[in-house]
């Protein structure tokens, strides 16, 4: 069972995973060793999956976001395996979600420019048969975060 200090540690690490343990300890009113043990427990228990660096997309040359809507040609295990194999090695595809309703999958792509989507499209349709595939360009990002709300964490 997690307490408020654990949740605060999780929130602080989500904001900046490079915070020194001494800074975290100060912010949650713990000794350095007690804070370090809590962080280790949070990692061991799976609350902290990994620590990563988030790149600035503009500086990385990937300012364009596209969402691709996919409707599968078939709903079978072999089609799904072909689809997984097709998307796994395309680094511009940063998220793929299987959906309920009339849309089967939504893909989120990060690209240097809209025209780069054509290469991704060609790579996908060469490897997988689709019923329908369409793309939309994101005009503006209103909210983006990697931080999860911690008040649900038990």
């Amino acid at each position: 069972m997690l307490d408020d200090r654990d949740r605060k540690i999780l929130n602080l690490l989500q904001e900046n995973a490079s915070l020194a343990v001494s800074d975290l300890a100060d912010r949650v009113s713990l000794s350095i060793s007690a804070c370090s043990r809590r962080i280790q427990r949070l990692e061991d228990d799976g609350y902290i999956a990994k620590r990563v660096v988030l790149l600035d997309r503009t500086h990385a040359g990937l300012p364009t976001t596209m969402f691709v809507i996919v409707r599968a040609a078939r709903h079978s295990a072999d089609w799904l395996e072909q689809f997984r194999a097709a998307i796994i090695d395309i680094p511009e595809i940063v998220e793929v979600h299987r959906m309920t309703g009339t849309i089967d999958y939504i893909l989120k792509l990060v690209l240097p420019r809209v025209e780069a989507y054509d290469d991704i499209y060609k790579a996908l349709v060469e490897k997988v048969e689709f019923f329908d595939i369409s793309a939309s360009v994101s005009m503006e990002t209103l909210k983006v975060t990697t931080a999860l709300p911690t008040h649900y964490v038990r």
Side-chain angles (χ1 to χ4, degrees):
M1 196 76 169
L2 300 188
D3 62 20
D4 288 340
R5 281 193 176 130
D6 292 324
R7 287 183 191 85
K8 188 166 184 178
I9 289 169
L10 291 172
N11 282 328
L12 290 167
L13 287 174
Q14 285 188 102
E15 289 174 21
N16 183 359
S18 68
L19 279 175
V21 176
S22 58
D23 291 337
L24 280 169
D26 285 343
R27 293 185 187 191
V28 296
S29 303
L30 287 171
S31 69
I32 293 172
S33 59
C35 186
S36 181
R37 283 191 302 272
R38 282 181 183 244
I39 294 168
Q40 186 61 54
R41 180 178 48 81
L42 291 167
E43 288 177 342
D44 292 345
D45 291 350
Y47 292 101
I48 299 173
K50 62 182 172 178
R51 298 185 199 194
V52 298
V53 171
L54 299 177
L55 301 181
D56 180 282
R57 288 190 31 210
T58 301
H59 281 88
L62 298 163
T64 304
T65 303
M66 293 192 73
F67 293 93
V68 177
I69 307 299
V70 169
R71 292 179 63 204
R74 298 182 320 274
H75 292 90
S76 63
D78 64 316
W79 186 93
L80 180 56
E81 194 51 44
Q82 283 181 323
F83 182 61
R84 284 181 203 257
I87 63 174
I88 198 75
D89 291 326
I90 301 174
E92 293 86 355
I93 300 174
V94 295
E95 291 184 36
V96 177
H97 299 267
R98 187 165 56 90
M99 309 298 292
T100 61
T102 59
I103 296 169
D104 294 314
Y105 299 91
I106 293 180
L107 291 64
K108 180 181 177 183
L109 283 67
V110 294
L111 301 165
R113 60 194 180 291
V114 172
E115 293 81 8
Y117 170 65
D118 192 45
D119 293 333
I120 307 299
Y121 173 83
K122 288 175 183 174
L124 289 172
V125 298
E126 180 180 303
K127 297 176 183 175
V128 184
E129 179 187 355
F130 296 100
F131 175 76
D132 186 46
I133 184 169
S134 62
S136 297
V137 178
S138 172
M139 299 298 292
E140 178 183 15
T141 301
L142 301 177
K143 179 181 179 178
V144 64
T145 183
T146 59
L148 300 177
T150 59
H151 58 272
Y152 295 100
V153 178
R154 300 281 173 235

